[in-house]
């Protein structure tokens, strides 16, 4: 299978790329900085890396168009708190327009859970990106995840730092917030499991473990495991 992978230098993308290579797929890896891509021995026949800045539509003019599935893992395009929503929408719009001139049969998007009436700016932006991608002629499958548990995950690293560096802390209100974590290996299973599965086209799914936990319970659970 031919696959387009965006965000291949990010936390999820790096791991997904290794899984896709192991499964024998041919991957077009779109990155903003080609020099930052970490090659592994033996990838030359299966992986093609090309420059693509989804905030610059012109950079996509010569991008590959012959592939079956496209993964949209672009996130946090800017460190500016005031501009990240605007830039994320702009990147999604350019990606959507690019998809409309490819042979792709499916877009797979990893988003955040949006099961509340009032969302944070972060989750609201994720949901708006989903709406943009859903307007493509290519069917969209959205996987909505909460905290991803695994070394290197930003949310997980915060939990680890709090537990290991702060033996005592004044607990903020967000410790009572509930979430449904998921292990990184299960995220990989979901991402690859929906590929070209027509039953998942134009649908969204919440993915997580079987337990709903508060942040306090996760902190205590990690402390016990350590």
């Amino acid at each position: 299978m031919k696959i387009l992978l965006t965000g291949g230098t990010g936390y999820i993308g790096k791991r997904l790329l290794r899984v896709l290579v192991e499964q024998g797929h041919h991957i077009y890896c779109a990155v903003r900085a080609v020099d930052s891509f970490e090659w592994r021995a033996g990838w030359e026949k299966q992986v093609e890396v090309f420059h693509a800045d989804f905030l610059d539509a012109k950079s996509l003019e010569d991008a590959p168009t012959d592939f079956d599935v496209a993964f949209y893992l672009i996130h946090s395009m800017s460190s500016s708190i005031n501009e990240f929503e605007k830039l994320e929408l702009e990147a999604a719009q350019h990606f959507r327009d690019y998809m409309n001139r490819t042979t792709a049969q499916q877009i797979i998007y990893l988003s955040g859970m949006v099961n509340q009436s009032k969302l944070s700016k972060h989750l609201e932006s994720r949901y708006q990106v989903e709406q943009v991608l859903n307007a493509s002629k290519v069917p969209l499958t959205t996987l909505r995840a909460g905290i991803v548990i695994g070394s290197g995950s930003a949310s997980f690293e915060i939990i680890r730092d709090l537990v290991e560096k702060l033996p005592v802390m004044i607990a903020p209100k967000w410790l009572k917030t509930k979430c449904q974590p998921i292990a990184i290996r299960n995220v990989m299973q979901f991402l690859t499991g929906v590929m070209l599965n027509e039953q998942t086209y134009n649908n969204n799914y919440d993915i997580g473990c079987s337990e709903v936990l508060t942040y306090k319970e996760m902190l205590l659970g990690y402390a016990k495991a350590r």
Side-chain angles (χ1 to χ4, degrees), residues 27-211:
I27 301 101
Y28 297 109
C29 200
V31 297
R32 282 184 292 170
V34 175
D35 293 341
S36 68
F37 183 81
E38 299 177 9
W39 280 97
R40 292 200 171 196
W43 279 8
E44 292 79 9
K45 293 182 178 180
Q46 287 181 257
V47 180
E48 294 184 40
V49 180
F50 68 96
H51 168 72
D53 182 350
F54 286 92
L55 291 176
D56 178 11
K58 290 185 178 180
S59 72
L60 305 174
E61 290 178 353
D62 297 322
T65 58
D66 181 23
F67 46 84
D68 306 298
V69 175
F71 284 96
Y72 192 77
L73 303 178
I74 297 171
H75 190 28
S76 298
M77 296 295 293
S78 171
S79 58
S80 171
I81 295 177
N82 296 325
E83 291 189 355
F84 85 93
E85 294 173 275
K86 173 179 174 292
L87 296 181
E88 286 209 327
L89 283 179
E90 186 176 334
Q93 290 163 356
H94 290 161
F95 179 84
R96 176 199 62 199
D97 296 342
Y98 168 41
M99 286 299 101
N100 285 341
R101 57 185 178 84
T102 71
T103 61
Q105 301 174 51
Q106 181 188 27
I107 298 170
I108 301 173
Y109 171 47
L110 182 63
S111 183
M113 289 189 179
V114 290
N115 53 5
Q116 300 178 35
S117 57
K118 186 176 182 180
L119 300 173
S120 65
K121 284 188 175 182
H122 165 78
L123 290 178
E124 180 63 34
S125 177
R126 297 280 79 198
Y127 182 67
Q128 290 177 1
V129 166
E130 181 180 334
Q131 303 310 302
V132 171
L133 299 181
N134 205 34
S136 168
K137 72 174 185 180
V138 181
L140 173 67
T141 300
T142 302
L143 300 177
R144 298 170 174 172
I147 288 182
V148 177
I149 304 299
S151 180
S153 164
S155 300
F156 176 69
E157 294 297 343
I158 290 173
I159 290 175
R160 175 155 60 186
D161 286 345
L162 287 175
V163 171
E164 297 190 0
K165 297 179 181 179
L166 295 177
V168 178
M169 67 179 290
I170 297 174
K173 290 182 178 180
W174 56 257
L175 253 63
K176 297 180 180 179
T177 302
K178 294 181 179 180
C179 61
Q180 198 166 359
I182 183 170
I184 181 62
R185 61 180 176 273
N186 297 129
V187 174
M188 296 297 106
Q189 291 169 343
F190 277 112
L191 286 171
T192 57
V194 299
M195 290 193 301
L196 295 187
N197 183 336
E198 295 185 10
Q199 291 183 337
T200 70
Y201 291 3
N202 299 314
N203 282 311
N204 59 74
Y205 305 91
D206 288 351
I207 59 174
C209 71
S210 58
E211 294 182 85

Side-chain angles (χ1 to χ4, degrees), residues 13-33:
K14 283 182 180 178
R15 285 152 181 78
L16 181 58
L17 177 57
R18 292 200 292 268
V19 173
L20 294 173
V21 169
E22 290 171 0
Q23 292 181 349
H25 302 294
H26 186 93
I27 301 101
Y28 297 109
C29 200
V31 297
R32 282 184 292 170

